[in-house]
Amino acid sequence: MSRTWWRGAAIYQVYLRSFADGNGDGCGDLAGLRSRLGYLKDLGIDAVWLNPWYPSPMADGGYDVADYRDIEPVFGTLAEAEAFIAEAHEHGIKVIIDVVPNHSSTASAWFQEALADPRARDRFWFRDEPNGWSSIFGGPAWTQVPDGQWYLHLFAPEQPDLNWDNPEVHQEFEDVLRFWFDRGVDGFRVDSAALLFKSEDAYEDLDGVHDVYRRWREIADEYGGVRAGDQDGGQGEEPGGGQGGERVLIGEVWLPDQERFARYLRPDELHTAFNFDFLACPWDPAELRRVIDLTLATHLPIGAPPTWVLSNHDVTRPVTRYGRADTGFQHGGRLHGSPSDLELGRRRARAAALLAMALPGGVYVYQGEELGLPEVEDLPDEARQDPMFARSGGANPGRDGCRVPLPWSGEEPPFGFGGPGPSAPPWLPQPEGWRKLTAQAQLADLDSMLNLYRSALRLRRELLGDGTLTWLPSEAGVLAFRRESGLVCVSNLGPAAVPLPPGELLLASGPVEGGALPPDTTAWLTGAGPGVSGR
Ligand code: NOJ
């Protein structure tokens, strides 16, 4: 793999709790993940990104980190994590882990110290009076401690915000990055990357954050980057036993202003960031074209590769979303329970996957997306664990519906989630109907979503990656572009079939008969002529 592997990488997101359960306790873990590395290799991804695996009371699915230098016992041990990193590398898979710098956990040693001793409170945001801020999860953003002071938590009360005006916080996270780089990880996904600094009246995108990422970039570059004066172009031995190639920093930056967003991707800051505009975009040709153009215009001038994301552990599964009348996504209006035509949604999700994978830059696949899992909307209230649900008094269903444990095999729950032997029920119940969606069932079906993802990821690796695109003339409702490799991608979002341009058909998200591309279908061709003409 090249040093700059991340520029065009396909990164698979592992939500560890729900990926595979190796010890049969109903919760996914490192043993389960290690047992499925062959599946990930065969899928054709370049890297995995794991949601937080640190010791945590799980008030927010592990985003409440009690200790940044260890592994949550339910997931395994530090030795198992090290073994996993080594095995992933043997499979040719890079490992990216989450780092959560905006907040920690009330169970952390620092917060416990702060509770016990008011003089030890400067690592957090303690105040005598709260301001009027609300928590992003609903309810107030301040909680009072027994001696009367209040602490800030932009998310759940169990997630106290860290004070980035305190140099100890900087030192701590620099050490944490080194701790994991020394153990061979290839990068970090930076949680809530724009929120770290606060003023009295603002907490988003304050300027101090950029100095933090400049420092982090220096550290990442020490491990895997090409350093000035390297005689061998940086091919020499790296500290920390990395697999080779640059170590990366990937930002979770939700900012509507593209100019502000682009600042995080300057050459000496983060390497890439998630493209949430694309993720949230409705299945609409003009809107998609606008978002793709805006993305390219934002990234190309600063030399940062765009990323293309259709889902993650926080948002409604695409199969469900694309089957609704309103196909966009908004955190505030999850449209939970609004009718969805899942067949239509599945067709569109397949077409969207081929579109995303043909675009220049990196692509993310959230576990279960490759199986076409729908959002589970009928979870019983008592099973729901997302704090968004409880903090909104049940008004917001939260994110559990996209976090249901994966179905691997067999005819009934737990669908092989707990491995071959008997196992406890998964931590969230799986729908009976998932028997048709197991990885095992889909591997046996050439037309399955899983086989589409496998074929597309393989072809993408051979033909695509970084660079740019050229739009081809096409009729209304059709998005068509060519990549430098010669690959042409045509997505038909219009109401009627359109003729495909000449060229060899490499892959299509649905049946293509008589040279016509049906609605809600994407095709990849090579050697195609100059344009996609109308009928
Ligand atoms: C973003 C993460 O993706 C989400 O799951 C989490 O709840 C918040 N950050 C807070 O850490």
Side-chain angles (χ1 to χ4, degrees), residues 110-128 143-152 160-163 166 168-169:
W110 275 10
F111 195 80
Q112 287 301 312
E113 256 181 74
L115 274 188
D117 180 357
R119 287 166 307 176
R121 291 190 172 167
D122 190 54
R123 295 159 179 155
F124 298 93
W125 280 85
F126 276 87
R127 292 287 180 271
D128 292 332
T143 290
Q144 196 166 27
V145 298
D147 59 37
Q149 277 211 311
W150 300 76
Y151 67 90
L152 174 70
D161 278 50
L162 289 158
N163 174 16
N166 181 332
E168 249 191 292
V169 173

mmCIF file of all heavy atoms in Angstrom, residues 110-128 143-152 160-163 166 168-169:
data_model
loop_
_atom_site.group_PDB
_atom_site.id
_atom_site.type_symbol
_atom_site.label_atom_id
_atom_site.label_comp_id
_atom_site.label_asym_id
_atom_site.label_seq_id
_atom_site.Cartn_x
_atom_site.Cartn_y
_atom_site.Cartn_z
ATOM 1 N N TRP A 110 -9.664 11.756 36.462
ATOM 2 C CA TRP A 110 -9.638 13.223 36.540
ATOM 3 C C TRP A 110 -10.948 13.778 37.103
ATOM 4 O O TRP A 110 -10.947 14.697 37.921
ATOM 5 C CB TRP A 110 -9.397 13.820 35.140
ATOM 6 C CG TRP A 110 -7.955 13.926 34.754
ATOM 7 C CD1 TRP A 110 -6.887 13.395 35.418
ATOM 8 C CD2 TRP A 110 -7.441 14.621 33.616
ATOM 9 N NE1 TRP A 110 -5.733 13.704 34.752
ATOM 10 C CE2 TRP A 110 -6.031 14.466 33.650
ATOM 11 C CE3 TRP A 110 -8.003 15.346 32.577
ATOM 12 C CZ2 TRP A 110 -5.195 15.021 32.667
ATOM 13 C CZ3 TRP A 110 -7.176 15.899 31.604
ATOM 14 C CH2 TRP A 110 -5.781 15.744 31.650
ATOM 15 N N PHE A 111 -12.075 13.247 36.627
ATOM 16 C CA PHE A 111 -13.342 13.811 37.100
ATOM 17 C C PHE A 111 -13.580 13.431 38.557
ATOM 18 O O PHE A 111 -14.080 14.240 39.353
ATOM 19 C CB PHE A 111 -14.518 13.385 36.212
ATOM 20 C CG PHE A 111 -15.735 14.226 36.454
ATOM 21 C CD1 PHE A 111 -15.861 15.488 35.886
ATOM 22 C CD2 PHE A 111 -16.748 13.787 37.308
ATOM 23 C CE1 PHE A 111 -16.957 16.304 36.143
ATOM 24 C CE2 PHE A 111 -17.869 14.585 37.563
ATOM 25 C CZ PHE A 111 -17.964 15.844 36.983
ATOM 26 N N GLN A 112 -13.205 12.219 38.906
ATOM 27 C CA GLN A 112 -13.377 11.803 40.308
ATOM 28 C C GLN A 112 -12.547 12.701 41.234
ATOM 29 O O GLN A 112 -13.007 13.098 42.294
ATOM 30 C CB GLN A 112 -12.987 10.324 40.465
ATOM 31 C CG GLN A 112 -14.018 9.367 39.852
ATOM 32 C CD GLN A 112 -15.401 9.546 40.478
ATOM 33 O OE1 GLN A 112 -15.545 9.585 41.710
ATOM 34 N NE2 GLN A 112 -16.425 9.682 39.642
ATOM 35 N N GLU A 113 -11.324 13.014 40.777
ATOM 36 C CA GLU A 113 -10.482 13.945 41.553
ATOM 37 C C GLU A 113 -11.166 15.304 41.678
ATOM 38 O O GLU A 113 -11.175 15.925 42.747
ATOM 39 C CB GLU A 113 -9.174 14.194 40.805
ATOM 40 C CG GLU A 113 -7.958 13.500 41.344
ATOM 41 C CD GLU A 113 -6.740 13.880 40.501
ATOM 42 O OE1 GLU A 113 -6.254 15.006 40.618
ATOM 43 O OE2 GLU A 113 -6.313 13.031 39.689
ATOM 44 N N ALA A 114 -11.723 15.761 40.566
ATOM 45 C CA ALA A 114 -12.371 17.079 40.553
ATOM 46 C C ALA A 114 -13.569 17.105 41.495
ATOM 47 O O ALA A 114 -13.821 18.110 42.184
ATOM 48 C CB ALA A 114 -12.802 17.430 39.129
ATOM 49 N N LEU A 115 -14.288 16.004 41.559
ATOM 50 C CA LEU A 115 -15.443 15.947 42.460
ATOM 51 C C LEU A 115 -14.994 16.022 43.914
ATOM 52 O O LEU A 115 -15.597 16.720 44.736
ATOM 53 C CB LEU A 115 -16.194 14.627 42.251
ATOM 54 C CG LEU A 115 -17.243 14.556 41.152
ATOM 55 C CD1 LEU A 115 -17.993 13.230 41.255
ATOM 56 C CD2 LEU A 115 -18.225 15.720 41.250
ATOM 57 N N ALA A 116 -13.901 15.302 44.183
ATOM 58 C CA ALA A 116 -13.441 15.210 45.577
ATOM 59 C C ALA A 116 -12.782 16.508 46.042
ATOM 60 O O ALA A 116 -12.792 16.816 47.237
ATOM 61 C CB ALA A 116 -12.459 14.045 45.710
ATOM 62 N N ASP A 117 -12.192 17.250 45.092
ATOM 63 C CA ASP A 117 -11.392 18.407 45.501
ATOM 64 C C ASP A 117 -11.625 19.577 44.548
ATOM 65 O O ASP A 117 -11.159 19.558 43.414
ATOM 66 C CB ASP A 117 -9.910 17.997 45.479
ATOM 67 C CG ASP A 117 -9.008 19.145 45.899
ATOM 68 O OD1 ASP A 117 -9.513 20.267 46.144
ATOM 69 O OD2 ASP A 117 -7.797 18.901 45.981
ATOM 70 N N PRO A 118 -12.316 20.604 44.991
ATOM 71 C CA PRO A 118 -12.614 21.749 44.109
ATOM 72 C C PRO A 118 -11.365 22.383 43.502
ATOM 73 O O PRO A 118 -11.437 23.007 42.460
ATOM 74 C CB PRO A 118 -13.341 22.729 45.031
ATOM 75 C CG PRO A 118 -13.915 21.895 46.117
ATOM 76 C CD PRO A 118 -12.978 20.734 46.293
ATOM 77 N N ARG A 119 -10.193 22.166 44.104
ATOM 78 C CA ARG A 119 -8.969 22.739 43.517
ATOM 79 C C ARG A 119 -8.518 21.960 42.279
ATOM 80 O O ARG A 119 -7.638 22.391 41.557
ATOM 81 C CB ARG A 119 -7.838 22.735 44.552
ATOM 82 C CG ARG A 119 -8.034 23.789 45.641
ATOM 83 C CD ARG A 119 -7.107 23.524 46.792
ATOM 84 N NE ARG A 119 -7.279 22.133 47.246
ATOM 85 C CZ ARG A 119 -6.578 21.543 48.195
ATOM 86 N NH1 ARG A 119 -5.621 22.186 48.810
ATOM 87 N NH2 ARG A 119 -6.818 20.287 48.551
ATOM 88 N N ALA A 120 -9.105 20.798 42.066
ATOM 89 C CA ALA A 120 -8.689 19.954 40.928
ATOM 90 C C ALA A 120 -9.733 20.018 39.805
ATOM 91 O O ALA A 120 -9.971 19.040 39.100
ATOM 92 C CB ALA A 120 -8.500 18.515 41.394
ATOM 93 N N ARG A 121 -10.366 21.187 39.659
ATOM 94 C CA ARG A 121 -11.477 21.269 38.704
ATOM 95 C C ARG A 121 -11.121 21.939 37.387
ATOM 96 O O ARG A 121 -11.963 22.009 36.483
ATOM 97 C CB ARG A 121 -12.670 21.992 39.341
ATOM 98 C CG ARG A 121 -13.275 21.136 40.423
ATOM 99 C CD ARG A 121 -14.587 21.634 40.957
ATOM 100 N NE ARG A 121 -15.114 20.607 41.848
ATOM 101 C CZ ARG A 121 -16.109 20.773 42.688
ATOM 102 N NH1 ARG A 121 -16.707 21.948 42.770
ATOM 103 N NH2 ARG A 121 -16.528 19.774 43.438
ATOM 104 N N ASP A 122 -9.910 22.419 37.268
ATOM 105 C CA ASP A 122 -9.599 23.233 36.093
ATOM 106 C C ASP A 122 -9.476 22.416 34.800
ATOM 107 O O ASP A 122 -9.429 22.971 33.715
ATOM 108 C CB ASP A 122 -8.309 24.028 36.325
ATOM 109 C CG ASP A 122 -8.106 25.046 35.217
ATOM 110 O OD1 ASP A 122 -9.037 25.847 34.986
ATOM 111 O OD2 ASP A 122 -7.054 25.004 34.540
ATOM 112 N N ARG A 123 -9.432 21.090 34.896
ATOM 113 C CA ARG A 123 -9.378 20.296 33.662
ATOM 114 C C ARG A 123 -10.771 20.189 33.022
ATOM 115 O O ARG A 123 -10.925 19.660 31.934
ATOM 116 C CB ARG A 123 -8.888 18.895 33.973
ATOM 117 C CG ARG A 123 -7.461 18.827 34.477
ATOM 118 C CD ARG A 123 -7.315 17.523 35.211
ATOM 119 N NE ARG A 123 -5.993 17.291 35.728
ATOM 120 C CZ ARG A 123 -5.769 16.486 36.781
ATOM 121 N NH1 ARG A 123 -6.784 15.903 37.406
ATOM 122 N NH2 ARG A 123 -4.541 16.279 37.184
ATOM 123 N N PHE A 124 -11.785 20.651 33.750
ATOM 124 C CA PHE A 124 -13.172 20.602 33.245
ATOM 125 C C PHE A 124 -13.732 22.017 33.276
ATOM 126 O O PHE A 124 -13.037 22.979 33.594
ATOM 127 C CB PHE A 124 -14.010 19.647 34.109
ATOM 128 C CG PHE A 124 -13.501 18.235 34.067
ATOM 129 C CD1 PHE A 124 -12.590 17.772 35.015
ATOM 130 C CD2 PHE A 124 -13.888 17.371 33.052
ATOM 131 C CE1 PHE A 124 -12.087 16.476 34.953
ATOM 132 C CE2 PHE A 124 -13.398 16.071 32.989
ATOM 133 C CZ PHE A 124 -12.490 15.626 33.944
ATOM 134 N N TRP A 125 -14.998 22.125 32.952
ATOM 135 C CA TRP A 125 -15.683 23.422 32.978
ATOM 136 C C TRP A 125 -16.612 23.487 34.177
ATOM 137 O O TRP A 125 -17.788 23.179 34.071
ATOM 138 C CB TRP A 125 -16.476 23.607 31.674
ATOM 139 C CG TRP A 125 -15.595 24.043 30.556
ATOM 140 C CD1 TRP A 125 -14.851 23.250 29.754
ATOM 141 C CD2 TRP A 125 -15.355 25.384 30.154
ATOM 142 N NE1 TRP A 125 -14.148 23.997 28.859
ATOM 143 C CE2 TRP A 125 -14.441 25.326 29.075
ATOM 144 C CE3 TRP A 125 -15.805 26.635 30.586
ATOM 145 C CZ2 TRP A 125 -13.972 26.457 28.441
ATOM 146 C CZ3 TRP A 125 -15.348 27.773 29.941
ATOM 147 C CH2 TRP A 125 -14.429 27.669 28.874
ATOM 148 N N PHE A 126 -16.048 23.870 35.309
ATOM 149 C CA PHE A 126 -16.892 24.067 36.495
ATOM 150 C C PHE A 126 -17.176 25.557 36.652
ATOM 151 O O PHE A 126 -16.301 26.397 36.448
ATOM 152 C CB PHE A 126 -16.168 23.549 37.746
ATOM 153 C CG PHE A 126 -16.326 22.065 37.957
ATOM 154 C CD1 PHE A 126 -15.459 21.159 37.353
ATOM 155 C CD2 PHE A 126 -17.345 21.575 38.754
ATOM 156 C CE1 PHE A 126 -15.607 19.793 37.550
ATOM 157 C CE2 PHE A 126 -17.504 20.202 38.956
ATOM 158 C CZ PHE A 126 -16.621 19.316 38.342
ATOM 159 N N ARG A 127 -18.401 25.888 37.018
ATOM 160 C CA ARG A 127 -18.801 27.276 37.215
ATOM 161 C C ARG A 127 -19.755 27.358 38.414
ATOM 162 O O ARG A 127 -20.417 26.374 38.746
ATOM 163 C CB ARG A 127 -19.556 27.811 35.978
ATOM 164 C CG ARG A 127 -18.704 27.976 34.724
ATOM 165 C CD ARG A 127 -17.762 29.167 34.862
ATOM 166 N NE ARG A 127 -16.938 29.359 33.675
ATOM 167 C CZ ARG A 127 -15.757 28.796 33.448
ATOM 168 N NH1 ARG A 127 -15.257 27.951 34.313
ATOM 169 N NH2 ARG A 127 -15.065 29.072 32.355
ATOM 170 N N ASP A 128 -19.821 28.551 39.002
ATOM 171 C CA ASP A 128 -20.775 28.726 40.109
ATOM 172 C C ASP A 128 -22.196 28.845 39.584
ATOM 173 O O ASP A 128 -23.151 28.474 40.254
ATOM 174 C CB ASP A 128 -20.417 29.964 40.931
ATOM 175 C CG ASP A 128 -19.111 29.748 41.688
ATOM 176 O OD1 ASP A 128 -18.817 28.569 41.997
ATOM 177 O OD2 ASP A 128 -18.383 30.730 41.924
ATOM 178 N N THR A 143 -24.758 20.322 34.916
ATOM 179 C CA THR A 143 -25.250 19.510 36.027
ATOM 180 C C THR A 143 -24.560 19.984 37.298
ATOM 181 O O THR A 143 -23.362 20.281 37.288
ATOM 182 C CB THR A 143 -24.990 18.006 35.748
ATOM 183 O OG1 THR A 143 -25.851 17.597 34.689
ATOM 184 C CG2 THR A 143 -25.277 17.144 36.974
ATOM 185 N N GLN A 144 -25.359 20.018 38.373
ATOM 186 C CA GLN A 144 -24.827 20.536 39.636
ATOM 187 C C GLN A 144 -24.213 19.396 40.456
ATOM 188 O O GLN A 144 -24.753 18.285 40.481
ATOM 189 C CB GLN A 144 -25.968 21.180 40.428
ATOM 190 C CG GLN A 144 -25.491 22.077 41.534
ATOM 191 C CD GLN A 144 -26.590 22.961 42.071
ATOM 192 O OE1 GLN A 144 -27.776 22.618 42.004
ATOM 193 N NE2 GLN A 144 -26.218 24.108 42.611
ATOM 194 N N VAL A 145 -23.094 19.684 41.111
ATOM 195 C CA VAL A 145 -22.477 18.691 41.992
ATOM 196 C C VAL A 145 -22.862 19.038 43.433
ATOM 197 O O VAL A 145 -23.345 20.147 43.693
ATOM 198 C CB VAL A 145 -20.938 18.626 41.790
ATOM 199 C CG1 VAL A 145 -20.604 18.195 40.374
ATOM 200 C CG2 VAL A 145 -20.267 19.944 42.124
ATOM 201 N N PRO A 146 -22.672 18.086 44.374
ATOM 202 C CA PRO A 146 -23.219 18.299 45.720
ATOM 203 C C PRO A 146 -22.784 19.593 46.390
ATOM 204 O O PRO A 146 -23.555 20.171 47.160
ATOM 205 C CB PRO A 146 -22.713 17.080 46.498
ATOM 206 C CG PRO A 146 -22.558 16.015 45.463
ATOM 207 C CD PRO A 146 -22.140 16.720 44.203
ATOM 208 N N ASP A 147 -21.575 20.104 46.097
ATOM 209 C CA ASP A 147 -21.171 21.342 46.790
ATOM 210 C C ASP A 147 -21.728 22.598 46.122
ATOM 211 O O ASP A 147 -21.386 23.717 46.503
ATOM 212 C CB ASP A 147 -19.646 21.431 46.927
ATOM 213 C CG ASP A 147 -18.940 21.390 45.583
ATOM 214 O OD1 ASP A 147 -19.477 21.966 44.613
ATOM 215 O OD2 ASP A 147 -17.878 20.772 45.480
ATOM 216 N N GLY A 148 -22.564 22.431 45.099
ATOM 217 C CA GLY A 148 -23.257 23.588 44.530
ATOM 218 C C GLY A 148 -22.728 24.053 43.191
ATOM 219 O O GLY A 148 -23.424 24.773 42.475
ATOM 220 N N GLN A 149 -21.481 23.685 42.826
ATOM 221 C CA GLN A 149 -20.975 24.104 41.512
ATOM 222 C C GLN A 149 -21.646 23.289 40.401
ATOM 223 O O GLN A 149 -22.259 22.247 40.647
ATOM 224 C CB GLN A 149 -19.452 23.910 41.461
ATOM 225 C CG GLN A 149 -18.689 25.072 42.091
ATOM 226 C CD GLN A 149 -17.337 25.295 41.426
ATOM 227 O OE1 GLN A 149 -16.584 24.352 41.245
ATOM 228 N NE2 GLN A 149 -17.035 26.538 41.096
ATOM 229 N N TRP A 150 -21.467 23.821 39.189
ATOM 230 C CA TRP A 150 -22.055 23.161 38.007
ATOM 231 C C TRP A 150 -20.936 22.803 37.033
ATOM 232 O O TRP A 150 -19.969 23.548 36.917
ATOM 233 C CB TRP A 150 -23.005 24.117 37.286
ATOM 234 C CG TRP A 150 -24.158 24.602 38.121
ATOM 235 C CD1 TRP A 150 -24.113 25.546 39.101
ATOM 236 C CD2 TRP A 150 -25.513 24.161 38.049
ATOM 237 N NE1 TRP A 150 -25.354 25.747 39.656
ATOM 238 C CE2 TRP A 150 -26.248 24.902 39.020
ATOM 239 C CE3 TRP A 150 -26.197 23.229 37.282
ATOM 240 C CZ2 TRP A 150 -27.605 24.726 39.226
ATOM 241 C CZ3 TRP A 150 -27.553 23.054 37.477
ATOM 242 C CH2 TRP A 150 -28.246 23.795 38.440
ATOM 243 N N TYR A 151 -21.071 21.672 36.330
ATOM 244 C CA TYR A 151 -20.084 21.370 35.282
ATOM 245 C C TYR A 151 -20.800 21.259 33.936
ATOM 246 O O TYR A 151 -21.968 20.884 33.846
ATOM 247 C CB TYR A 151 -19.276 20.104 35.590
ATOM 248 C CG TYR A 151 -20.075 18.826 35.560
ATOM 249 C CD1 TYR A 151 -20.207 18.084 34.381
ATOM 250 C CD2 TYR A 151 -20.696 18.347 36.709
ATOM 251 C CE1 TYR A 151 -20.943 16.914 34.353
ATOM 252 C CE2 TYR A 151 -21.436 17.173 36.694
ATOM 253 C CZ TYR A 151 -21.553 16.456 35.494
ATOM 254 O OH TYR A 151 -22.294 15.303 35.465
ATOM 255 N N LEU A 152 -20.031 21.595 32.918
ATOM 256 C CA LEU A 152 -20.580 21.613 31.550
ATOM 257 C C LEU A 152 -20.467 20.240 30.897
ATOM 258 O O LEU A 152 -19.438 19.569 31.007
ATOM 259 C CB LEU A 152 -19.768 22.623 30.710
ATOM 260 C CG LEU A 152 -20.097 22.673 29.213
ATOM 261 C CD1 LEU A 152 -21.475 23.281 28.973
ATOM 262 C CD2 LEU A 152 -19.034 23.484 28.453
ATOM 263 N N PRO A 160 -18.505 14.871 30.996
ATOM 264 C CA PRO A 160 -18.076 16.249 31.294
ATOM 265 C C PRO A 160 -17.101 16.772 30.246
ATOM 266 O O PRO A 160 -16.165 16.066 29.853
ATOM 267 C CB PRO A 160 -17.379 16.096 32.654
ATOM 268 C CG PRO A 160 -16.989 14.653 32.745
ATOM 269 C CD PRO A 160 -18.022 13.892 31.982
ATOM 270 N N ASP A 161 -17.303 18.011 29.800
ATOM 271 C CA ASP A 161 -16.404 18.605 28.806
ATOM 272 C C ASP A 161 -15.056 18.933 29.434
ATOM 273 O O ASP A 161 -14.992 19.447 30.553
ATOM 274 C CB ASP A 161 -17.017 19.891 28.228
ATOM 275 C CG ASP A 161 -18.005 19.572 27.135
ATOM 276 O OD1 ASP A 161 -18.882 18.711 27.368
ATOM 277 O OD2 ASP A 161 -17.887 20.163 26.042
ATOM 278 N N LEU A 162 -14.001 18.665 28.670
ATOM 279 C CA LEU A 162 -12.642 18.980 29.114
ATOM 280 C C LEU A 162 -12.332 20.440 28.808
ATOM 281 O O LEU A 162 -12.880 21.014 27.850
ATOM 282 C CB LEU A 162 -11.647 18.057 28.406
ATOM 283 C CG LEU A 162 -11.720 16.602 28.907
ATOM 284 C CD1 LEU A 162 -11.148 15.642 27.875
ATOM 285 C CD2 LEU A 162 -11.005 16.468 30.246
ATOM 286 N N ASN A 163 -11.442 21.004 29.593
ATOM 287 C CA ASN A 163 -11.075 22.415 29.420
ATOM 288 C C ASN A 163 -9.778 22.509 28.624
ATOM 289 O O ASN A 163 -8.681 22.303 29.171
ATOM 290 C CB ASN A 163 -10.923 23.067 30.795
ATOM 291 C CG ASN A 163 -10.393 24.482 30.670
ATOM 292 O OD1 ASN A 163 -10.412 25.070 29.584
ATOM 293 N ND2 ASN A 163 -9.921 25.023 31.778
ATOM 294 N N ASN A 166 -6.515 24.481 29.457
ATOM 295 C CA ASN A 166 -5.564 23.958 30.448
ATOM 296 C C ASN A 166 -4.488 23.126 29.732
ATOM 297 O O ASN A 166 -4.816 22.136 29.068
ATOM 298 C CB ASN A 166 -6.360 23.096 31.444
ATOM 299 C CG ASN A 166 -5.477 22.520 32.521
ATOM 300 O OD1 ASN A 166 -4.286 22.288 32.319
ATOM 301 N ND2 ASN A 166 -6.067 22.291 33.678
ATOM 302 N N GLU A 168 -2.493 20.941 30.684
ATOM 303 C CA GLU A 168 -2.461 19.515 31.055
ATOM 304 C C GLU A 168 -3.320 18.672 30.107
ATOM 305 O O GLU A 168 -3.019 17.516 29.834
ATOM 306 C CB GLU A 168 -3.048 19.370 32.455
ATOM 307 C CG GLU A 168 -2.061 18.992 33.520
ATOM 308 C CD GLU A 168 -2.813 18.629 34.787
ATOM 309 O OE1 GLU A 168 -3.417 19.559 35.400
ATOM 310 O OE2 GLU A 168 -2.832 17.458 35.148
ATOM 311 N N VAL A 169 -4.420 19.266 29.638
ATOM 312 C CA VAL A 169 -5.320 18.542 28.726
ATOM 313 C C VAL A 169 -4.593 18.306 27.404
ATOM 314 O O VAL A 169 -4.641 17.211 26.828
ATOM 315 C CB VAL A 169 -6.644 19.323 28.544
ATOM 316 C CG1 VAL A 169 -7.522 18.693 27.485
ATOM 317 C CG2 VAL A 169 -7.387 19.406 29.872
#
